[in-house]
Amino acid sequence: MDFELSEEQEQLRDSVRSVLERECPPAVVRAAYEGRLDGEHDRLWRVICELDWPAIAVPESMGGLGMGFAELALIAEEMGRAVVPAPFMSTVAQFVPMVLETSLPEQQKILLGTVLDQGAIGTVAIAEKGSGWDMSRMSTEARRTRDGWVLNGTKSFVFDGADATTILVVARASDDEGIGAFAVPSDAVTSTAVKLLDPSQPLADVELRNVLVPDDAVLVEPGDQKGAAGIRRALEQATAAVAMSMTGTCRVIFDSTLQYAKDREQFGKPIGSFQAIKHRLVNMLIALERASSLAYFAALTIAEDDPRRSIAVSMAKAAAGDCQRLIVQDGLQFHGGIGYMWEQDLHFYLKRAKSGDLLFGSAAAHKANVARALGLAA
């Protein structure tokens, strides 16, 4: 496993960063917070599609760029750095991996074609209130009928759920045979946007009431163990992408706080020269580098299909959660009163990092996963 970025990967990262600095400055994020995005949301997504970023991890045989999850993760990190209000995470880090991991070639051609050729937005609906992303406690039900499968239940925390064209719903069979994955058009469900701490990353509740899914839209039939493993693998990719995005956001907070500690003077000296501030900045950097290293390791285990990928993803998400807790707290405190000002951009990053901890499993939930992997759970 090579931890060094290749020359091509460095060029990709630099190119993505340059584009986002130009196309998504803080003024665009502010517009999302103030409900003034107008056509900016669509414009940003068009730019992303024109640059073929949705095709980054799609095999060339299916019209993609044929790169891997390591490259996708690099873009996810940059999305977090810029707090981009566009459906990259839902479509590229969730929908596309779920299609690739679970569906048949003819289904992939249709579902991926809408994204790669038409710029359609896709998303995945797994989480539910009360059980989060724990699929063993899922209550959304799939019932077999003569005409197909009928879905009933409510999904929560669905990325871009109100804007997606197609939603891949994971549900449990009514006879408890297992979980399945179903492609559902957005007009067959009721999606309700949720008021959020971070409006730049919209989430929605998705209600399914007697939604009929024909057999050709079933990606994974309940009881198909290989298909269920594919769902879990796609969930790991989505979780690792969130961890990468969180580290990108936390790095901006750290850089901003470090610079502020060098610029802001008290008693005739920069506040960063005081020992108490220096020690805490060092602790922030250690937490950030730990989280970043684990996120990169998780991305590489996925890219190389390493057997450690499940525990690596949980370690990465747990470390990202621990990192944001320290960096958000100290970053805000070191900025003092200015950190609370609406006119200061800092709060965009604080809120994105804080909300990221709650998505695809909190730090506590993933630490529990690691404990179970070590045979320590009760």
Side-chain angles (χ1 to χ4, degrees):
M1 186 174 289
D2 187 357
F3 283 86
E4 291 290 333
L5 294 182
S6 67
E7 185 177 341
E8 290 77 14
Q9 289 172 329
E10 287 184 352
Q11 288 175 350
L12 172 66
R13 180 198 58 196
D14 295 345
S15 169
V16 171
R17 185 173 300 177
S18 173
V19 168
L20 293 179
E21 286 175 351
R22 184 181 69 243
E23 302 291 343
C24 187
V28 172
V29 183
R30 183 173 295 281
Y33 270 77
E34 296 177 352
R36 300 183 288 102
L37 261 185
D38 300 325
E40 279 297 300
H41 181 272
D42 295 336
R43 184 191 66 80
L44 266 177
W45 182 236
R46 279 200 303 276
V47 169
I48 289 171
C49 291
E50 287 168 1
L51 292 168
D52 276 341
W53 294 350
I56 192 82
V58 177
E60 289 180 292
S61 60
M62 297 178 193
L65 299 181
M67 298 186 184
F69 189 80
E71 287 76 15
L72 192 159
L74 288 174
I75 301 180
E77 184 179 23
E78 296 306 316
M79 291 285 160
R81 282 182 67 97
V83 199
V84 176
F88 179 88
M89 298 298 282
S90 59
T91 305
V92 186
Q94 299 172 27
F95 181 85
V96 170
M98 183 70 81
V99 171
L100 290 173
E101 291 284 358
T102 64
S103 60
L104 299 170
E106 53 270 28
Q107 293 172 319
Q108 291 175 353
K109 186 176 180 181
I110 296 170
L111 294 170
L112 295 178
T114 60
V115 174
L116 303 186
D117 301 335
Q118 303 166 29
I121 298 170
T123 191
V124 172
I126 297 176
E128 298 176 3
K129 285 179 180 170
S131 60
W133 281 264
D134 183 353
M135 292 189 284
S136 67
R137 297 164 57 204
M138 185 179 293
S139 62
T140 297
E141 181 184 272
R143 179 168 49 84
R144 191 76 170 99
T145 68
R146 186 176 58 184
D147 300 321
W149 289 83
V150 174
L151 306 183
N152 279 289
T154 302
K155 295 293 185 181
S156 298
F157 314 113
V158 181
F159 281 51
D160 298 297
D163 297 318
T165 303
T166 304
I167 303 173
L168 304 183
V169 179
V170 178
R172 179 167 296 281
S174 56
D175 56 8
D176 206 24
E177 280 196 359
I179 57 173
F182 307 85
V184 177
S186 58
D187 57 6
V189 304
T190 302
S191 296
T192 306
V194 179
K195 190 173 182 180
L196 297 166
L197 174 71
D198 173 21
S200 68
Q201 189 166 262
L203 304 178
D205 290 336
V206 174
E207 185 178 5
L208 304 109
R209 289 288 172 263
N210 296 317
V211 175
L212 176 64
V213 182
D215 288 335
D216 61 1
V218 178
L219 276 57
V220 176
E221 189 107 2
D224 176 355
Q225 295 302 317
K226 185 178 178 182
I231 295 173
R232 286 191 286 274
R233 290 165 61 87
L235 179 59
E236 289 170 356
Q237 294 183 50
T239 305
V242 172
M244 284 293 294
S245 177
M246 288 175 67
T247 61
T249 306
C250 286
R251 194 168 294 281
V252 175
I253 300 171
F254 175 77
D255 290 346
S256 172
T257 305
L258 178 63
Q259 191 60 53
Y260 189 76
K262 292 177 179 177
D263 295 341
R264 175 82 167 90
E265 291 191 357
Q266 189 63 271
F267 309 116
K269 296 179 179 179
I271 62 172
S273 66
F274 300 130
Q275 188 177 58
I277 301 294
K278 283 193 284 191
H279 285 186
R280 288 171 67 178
L281 280 166
V282 169
N283 288 338
M284 290 169 69
L285 180 59
I286 291 171
L288 176 58
E289 292 301 334
R290 170 177 174 264
S292 179
S293 298
L294 284 168
Y296 273 90
F297 177 63
L300 289 173
T301 61
I302 291 171
E304 299 184 9
D305 202 16
D306 188 290
R308 298 169 291 178
R309 58 183 283 167
S310 295
I311 193 169
V313 168
S314 282
M315 290 172 66
K317 190 61 168 59
D322 289 345
C323 174
Q324 67 78 26
R325 190 175 306 109
L326 178 63
I327 284 191
V328 167
Q329 173 185 292
D330 284 1
L332 178 59
Q333 187 174 13
F334 290 175
H335 275 80
I338 196 172
Y340 289 88
M341 293 176 64
W342 183 257
E343 292 77 7
Q344 233 280 354
D345 295 335
L346 180 70
H347 68 98
F348 303 147
Y349 305 94
L350 300 178
K351 291 169 182 172
R352 175 63 72 92
K354 185 59 70 178
S355 64
D357 184 41
L358 302 175
L359 299 169
F360 286 88
S362 66
H366 282 283
K367 286 177 182 175
N369 289 345
V370 175
R372 277 191 289 274
L374 295 173
L376 297 173

